Amino acid sequence: MNTGKNHKIVDCTVRDGGLVNNWDFSVDFVQYLYKCLNEAGIDYMEIGYKNSPKLLKGSESSGPWRSLKDDFLHDVIGEKQTTKLSALVDIGRVEVNDILPREKSLLDLIRVACYIQDVDEALKLVRQFHDRGYETTLNIMALSNVKKSHLVEAFKLISHSVVDVVYIVDSYGSLMPKDIRNLVKRFQKHLPNKRLGAHMHNNMQLGFANTLAAADNGVELLDCSVYGMGRAAGNCPTELLVAQLKNTNYSLRPVLDMIEKYMIPLRDIEEWGYLIPYMITGMLDEHPRSAMAFRNSSDKNMALQFYDMLTVPNVNS
Amino acid sequence: MNTGKNHKIVDCTVRDGGLVNNWDFSVDFVQYLYKCLNEAGIDYMEIGYKNSPKLLKGSESSGPWRSLKDDFLHDVIGEKQTTKLSALVDIGRVEVNDILPREKSLLDLIRVACYIQDVDEALKLVRQFHDRGYETTLNIMALSNVKKSHLVEAFKLISHSVVDVVYIVDSYGSLMPKDIRNLVKRFQKHLPNKRLGAHMHNNMQLGFANTLAAADNGVELLDCSVYGMGRAAGNCPTELLVAQLKNTNYSLRPVLDMIEKYMIPLRDIEEWGYLIPYMITGMLDEHPRSAMAFRNSSDKNMALQFYDMLTVPNVNS
């Protein structure tokens, strides 16, 4: 990685990892993570979603990081340190008036996730968060499935927007490093006035490699999570990104501290990472939901059965 | 990957995986693997070492794949199919007269592993195996630690040798895709008359990505093992390589069959893959032996303690 460039690390453990355990992280866990990320010099911690509980199904059974409340966040964080705080929102699930002006909030960055067809709606939200003083990103999901012509349409909208950073999101973990290089070049060509970010998944064991490919080609914001914790196959591991940036001001030791104290025990009771059903949905460029359901069934190790379900016509009919 | 190129897959499950379980694979396991690799269209199966038991410590407790005998191999394989058979030998551990002329052997390929300072000795062995009719490779281990000047010296010897294929081996799993690209270019420049191979380890979750980087830059023989089984962090997984080459004549389904039937149950009792101590030795460009010993101790999950052992001066004194 070109360590001379201005890379920034965005740790998504609580937000994306919450998709694994229904955001059932204790306050102790999140406080310790915040301490470790600060000590490690990580630039941003995405501490959850800022969606409205009223607009979410089943939110009453979820942990508090799924719909962050400002008072709660103040209690958890206490005195703010140097790692900035981020929250993600989804179109149709966020109540704009839940987002305080930045000077009254502990959050620094609001990220808006959307599919390609909703970029215009997403940019309307971005505008409002920008006007309230936040840094903003637009995270375009499932890019592996997007047609070039749709992307070019979206670029036109984005280039005229106020959004600070545009994310390349490999939601299905199906892209190869060469795909990432090509996507980054296309984004740079069409959005010369925007900074870029990358959020990769590990279905094909390429989360870290694809993040490196993005970074080497000039992508600035690099998403990751400690021990790779994230939906299904998980994300680029924070510890690998920090280890690779070892000649910078990042420190690996606090990340290993978090792994030893919390992540290794957590991995014993929650499941994420490279597993064959996730590899298969990644290879097929599909959402991992079928694989997640399969891993929750008694057949979870029947790799061949799952492959046939997804590839042999009528095997399920 | 440039699927138009002439890539060949070398599955090392039995040989490199044997370093995990002391080659304790049943004949049923190896026969089923041979069947699956044939069905998948894999080019080579490395079925073990051809070292002499007389020259190995503790070989009496190892499984038969650590010192293959020709009669035994005939019993296991029976009628030979299309996947070629390979064996690895180490300098100082092989008795040349144990290697039958190829027409009397089931083996097609003999690979000689060595460190950079032993390239001349290794090439003497290569010459003898070549003269007995075998395809040959020279596998230069621990390339991440080799000085450029030593490599240039070795290139001179190799370019005048009879060896068919020269391997880039990332023994410690410490190289990045860009390192692989640079190494491949250097090998191609100095050895224009040799075909190249790549053998990668997964300490930094880059086994597959580095193998892709090698393949995309013209490396022909690609090592891997089913479900990544290999010493410490393991290898590039065969299933990922086959999945990525899905537009070729390789088939994924038989590899998944092997994974479901044998590899997932085996992973429950033997350990390999991405684990923090292996990540740390990879990052530090060290042999994984300290990490393997640590994973065999009661402190095995003490990620921080292991990091301090290897990085803090005098922590162990």
Side-chain angles (χ1 to χ4, degrees):
Chain A
M1 190 184 299
N2 192 330
T3 53
K5 285 183 189 158
N6 191 22
H7 298 305
K8 294 186 168 54
I9 299 183
V10 182
D11 184 89
C12 302
T13 309
V14 176
R15 201 270 310 159
D16 206 327
L19 290 159
V20 175
N21 70 346
N22 199 20
W23 296 274
D24 184 20
F25 297 108
S26 68
V27 169
D28 285 348
F29 176 103
V30 176
Q31 286 176 331
Y32 204 80
L33 177 62
Y34 182 61
K35 171 182 114 67
C36 290
L37 295 179
N38 270 283
E39 288 172 6
I42 303 298
D43 303 277
Y44 294 88
M45 172 179 180
E46 189 155 84
I47 195 163
Y49 283 94
K50 197 78 179 82
N51 288 330
S52 166
K54 286 177 248 162
L55 301 172
L56 294 171
K57 281 184 204 157
S59 68
E60 57 285 350
S61 69
S62 303
W65 323 98
R66 192 181 177 193
S67 302
L68 287 169
K69 288 183 182 148
D70 291 275
D71 289 349
F72 173 73
L73 200 52
H74 273 281
D75 291 346
V76 171
I77 294 297
E79 187 138 352
K80 215 175 151 188
Q81 300 176 49
T82 52
T83 298
K84 291 180 175 179
L85 294 176
S86 161
L88 190 71
V89 302
D90 292 312
I91 292 187
R93 292 180 182 165
V94 60
E95 180 63 62
V96 174
N97 289 327
D98 286 350
I99 315 283
L100 297 173
R102 182 173 175 183
E103 62 272 17
K104 296 186 180 171
S105 166
L106 286 178
L107 297 172
D108 303 281
L109 170 65
I110 307 277
R111 314 206 297 173
V112 180
C114 71
Y115 290 101
I116 192 80
Q117 63 271 21
D118 298 321
V119 162
D120 52 348
E121 284 302 312
L123 289 173
K124 286 179 198 163
L125 287 174
V126 162
R127 174 89 230 181
Q128 298 184 72
F129 303 140
H130 173 86
D131 288 348
R132 284 169 205 215
Y134 293 97
E135 302 173 42
T136 57
T137 78
L138 177 72
N139 295 25
I140 310 177
M141 299 184 289
L143 271 176
S144 53
N145 273 341
V146 172
K147 285 184 190 161
K148 256 189 198 178
S149 58
H150 292 173
L151 202 50
V152 170
E153 282 302 306
F155 286 146
K156 285 182 198 161
L157 299 171
I158 296 166
S159 64
H160 294 101
S161 77
V162 296
V163 75
D164 297 307
V165 178
V166 185
Y167 261 80
I168 295 169
V169 183
D170 179 20
S171 305
Y172 305 158
S174 63
L175 297 174
M176 300 285 124
K178 69 161 61 164
D179 300 323
I180 300 300
R181 286 192 287 273
N182 291 337
L183 272 172
V184 170
K185 281 176 193 158
R186 193 171 308 148
F187 273 62
Q188 286 167 333
K189 181 182 165 191
H190 290 272
L191 299 171
N193 59 336
K194 296 297 178 192
R195 296 151 64 201
L196 299 182
H199 182 96
M200 303 299 164
H201 280 274
N202 212 23
N203 302 59
M204 309 274 283
Q205 297 194 0
L206 291 172
F208 178 45
N210 283 345
T211 305
L212 284 181
D216 280 337
N217 284 275
V219 170
E220 184 183 334
L221 268 67
L222 308 175
D223 280 20
C224 54
S225 55
V226 180
Y227 214 40
M229 186 184 189
R231 180 158 61 185
N235 301 116
C236 170
T238 305
E239 65 274 18
L240 290 175
L241 214 44
V242 168
Q244 172 55 12
L245 291 165
K246 57 185 177 291
N247 298 323
T248 66
N249 288 326
Y250 295 112
S251 303
L252 179 60
R253 199 175 184 283
V255 183
L256 295 177
D257 185 3
M258 183 69 199
I259 291 175
E260 175 179 314
K261 190 173 170 75
Y262 281 106
M263 303 311 291
I264 292 175
L266 183 57
R267 183 61 185 79
D268 275 345
I269 54 172
E270 299 285 352
E271 178 176 286
W272 70 87
Y274 178 75
L275 291 156
I276 295 298
Y278 301 141
M279 172 268 189
I280 290 170
T281 58
M283 178 191 84
L284 297 173
D285 194 9
E286 286 188 13
H287 192 287
R289 66 174 68 84
S290 60
M292 293 161 70
F294 196 75
R295 287 297 304 173
N296 272 323
S297 77
S298 58
D299 291 336
K300 65 181 185 176
N301 286 324
M302 300 290 108
L304 208 51
Q305 180 185 325
F306 183 73
Y307 180 71
D308 288 345
M309 269 171 56
L310 266 58
T311 59
V312 179
N314 302 319
V315 75
N316 271 332
S317 64
Chain B
M1 190 184 299
N2 193 331
T3 53
K5 285 182 189 158
N6 190 23
H7 298 305
K8 293 186 168 54
I9 298 182
V10 182
D11 184 89
C12 302
T13 309
V14 176
R15 201 271 309 161
D16 206 327
L19 290 159
V20 175
N21 70 346
N22 198 20
W23 297 272
D24 184 19
F25 297 108
S26 69
V27 169
D28 284 349
F29 177 103
V30 175
Q31 285 175 332
Y32 204 79
L33 177 61
Y34 182 63
K35 170 182 116 67
C36 290
L37 295 179
N38 270 285
E39 288 172 7
I42 304 297
D43 304 277
Y44 294 88
M45 172 179 179
E46 190 154 84
I47 195 163
Y49 282 94
K50 196 79 180 84
N51 289 329
S52 165
K54 285 177 250 162
L55 301 172
L56 294 171
K57 281 185 204 156
S59 69
E60 59 284 352
S61 69
S62 304
W65 324 98
R66 191 181 177 192
S67 303
L68 287 168
K69 289 182 182 150
D70 290 276
D71 288 350
F72 173 72
L73 200 53
H74 272 282
D75 290 346
V76 172
I77 295 297
E79 186 135 354
K80 214 173 150 189
Q81 299 176 49
T82 51
T83 298
K84 291 181 175 179
L85 294 176
S86 162
L88 190 70
V89 301
D90 292 311
I91 292 186
R93 293 179 182 165
V94 60
E95 180 62 63
V96 174
N97 289 329
D98 285 351
I99 315 284
L100 296 174
R102 181 174 176 183
E103 62 271 17
K104 294 185 180 172
S105 167
L106 285 178
L107 298 170
D108 303 281
L109 170 64
I110 307 278
R111 313 206 298 174
V112 180
C114 71
Y115 290 101
I116 192 80
Q117 64 270 23
D118 297 322
V119 162
D120 52 347
E121 284 301 313
L123 289 173
K124 286 179 196 161
L125 287 173
V126 162
R127 173 90 229 180
Q128 297 184 71
F129 303 140
H130 174 86
D131 288 349
R132 284 169 205 215
Y134 292 97
E135 301 174 42
T136 58
T137 78
L138 177 73
N139 295 26
I140 310 178
M141 298 185 289
L143 271 176
S144 53
N145 274 340
V146 171
K147 286 185 188 159
K148 256 189 196 179
S149 58
H150 292 174
L151 201 52
V152 170
E153 281 302 307
F155 285 147
K156 285 183 200 160
L157 299 171
I158 296 166
S159 65
H160 293 103
S161 77
V162 296
V163 74
D164 296 308
V165 178
V166 185
Y167 261 79
I168 295 169
V169 182
D170 179 21
S171 304
Y172 305 158
S174 63
L175 296 174
M176 300 285 125
K178 70 161 60 162
D179 301 322
I180 301 301
R181 286 192 287 272
N182 290 337
L183 272 172
V184 170
K185 280 175 195 161
R186 193 172 308 150
F187 273 61
Q188 285 167 333
K189 180 182 165 192
H190 290 273
L191 299 171
N193 60 336
K194 298 297 179 193
R195 296 151 63 201
L196 299 182
H199 181 96
M200 303 300 164
H201 280 274
N202 212 23
N203 302 59
M204 310 274 284
Q205 298 194 1
L206 291 172
F208 178 43
N210 283 345
T211 304
L212 285 180
D216 279 339
N217 285 275
V219 169
E220 184 183 334
L221 267 67
L222 307 175
D223 280 20
C224 54
S225 55
V226 180
Y227 215 40
M229 186 184 190
R231 179 157 62 185
N235 301 115
C236 169
T238 305
E239 65 273 19
L240 290 176
L241 214 44
V242 168
Q244 173 54 12
L245 292 165
K246 57 185 178 290
N247 297 324
T248 65
N249 288 327
Y250 295 112
S251 303
L252 179 60
R253 200 176 183 282
V255 183
L256 296 176
D257 186 3
M258 183 69 199
I259 290 174
E260 176 179 315
K261 191 173 169 76
Y262 281 105
M263 303 311 292
I264 291 175
L266 183 56
R267 183 60 184 79
D268 276 344
I269 53 172
E270 300 284 352
E271 178 176 289
W272 70 89
Y274 178 74
L275 291 156
I276 295 297
Y278 301 142
M279 172 268 189
I280 291 170
T281 59
M283 179 192 85
L284 297 174
D285 194 9
E286 287 188 14
H287 193 287
R289 66 173 70 84
S290 59
M292 292 160 70
F294 196 76
R295 287 297 304 174
N296 273 324
S297 77
S298 57
D299 291 335
K300 65 181 185 177
N301 286 324
M302 300 290 106
L304 208 51
Q305 181 184 325
F306 183 72
Y307 181 70
D308 287 345
M309 269 170 56
L310 266 59
T311 58
V312 179
N314 302 319
V315 76
N316 272 331
S317 63

